[in-house]
Amino acid sequence: MKLDIGEIIRQEFEKSGLSISQFARMINKERTVVYNLFKRQSIDTHLLYQICMVLNVDLFRVFSECLGEENKVIGADRVNELQTTSSKRKVMLEVELDDMEYDRIMQKMFEKKKDLSR
């Protein structure tokens, strides 16, 4: 899916009721830069953030929605599903034990590991 961010910015700008001069001043750019913005296929995130603030619209959402659609097409949206069904878990635990209790726990752990490997 091709994302035409310049066209999306232009549409949102037109809804704003601002003039090109006002908009340019608010994002600290020249008028010619604003006209060129409307033709862009990509944009710097800092500039996009400024534009979002001036136009009071979340244009980052457009990228998120596009990413979601692309992930559905290639099946990447299922990666999280596959990761959550994993039976492996990593646990980090700090416990103070005496030697006898430590030996007992370690023995149980190794017995369980042996049972799982069979």
Side-chain angles (χ1 to χ4, degrees), residues 78-95:
R78 301 204 58 217
V79 169
N80 287 341
E81 289 176 28
L82 297 174
Q83 288 175 346
T84 57
T85 59
S86 172
S87 63
K88 293 184 179 182
R89 290 174 178 67
K90 183 182 237 180
V91 177
M92 295 181 72
L93 180 67
E94 185 174 331
V95 180

Side-chain angles (χ1 to χ4, degrees), residues 28-39:
N28 300 314
K29 301 292 178 192
E30 299 291 325
R31 287 176 44 150
T32 54
V33 172
V34 171
Y35 287 114
N36 288 331
L37 263 175
F38 298 155
K39 299 174 188 170

Side-chain angles (χ1 to χ4, degrees), residues 1-12:
M1 177 180 182
K2 183 180 164 190
L3 183 62
D4 192 353
I5 191 63
E7 177 61 22
I8 295 167
I9 292 170
R10 185 191 62 73
Q11 291 170 2
E12 293 299 327

Side-chain angles (χ1 to χ4, degrees), residues 12-23:
E12 293 299 327
F13 162 75
E14 288 177 355
K15 292 178 194 175
S16 74
L18 295 170
S19 71
I20 291 286
S21 297
Q22 290 171 320
F23 183 59

Side-chain angles (χ1 to χ4, degrees), residues 34-47:
V34 171
Y35 287 114
N36 288 331
L37 263 175
F38 298 155
K39 299 174 188 170
R40 287 192 184 176
Q41 298 296 311
S42 63
I43 187 168
D44 174 74
T45 55
H46 179 70
L47 178 56

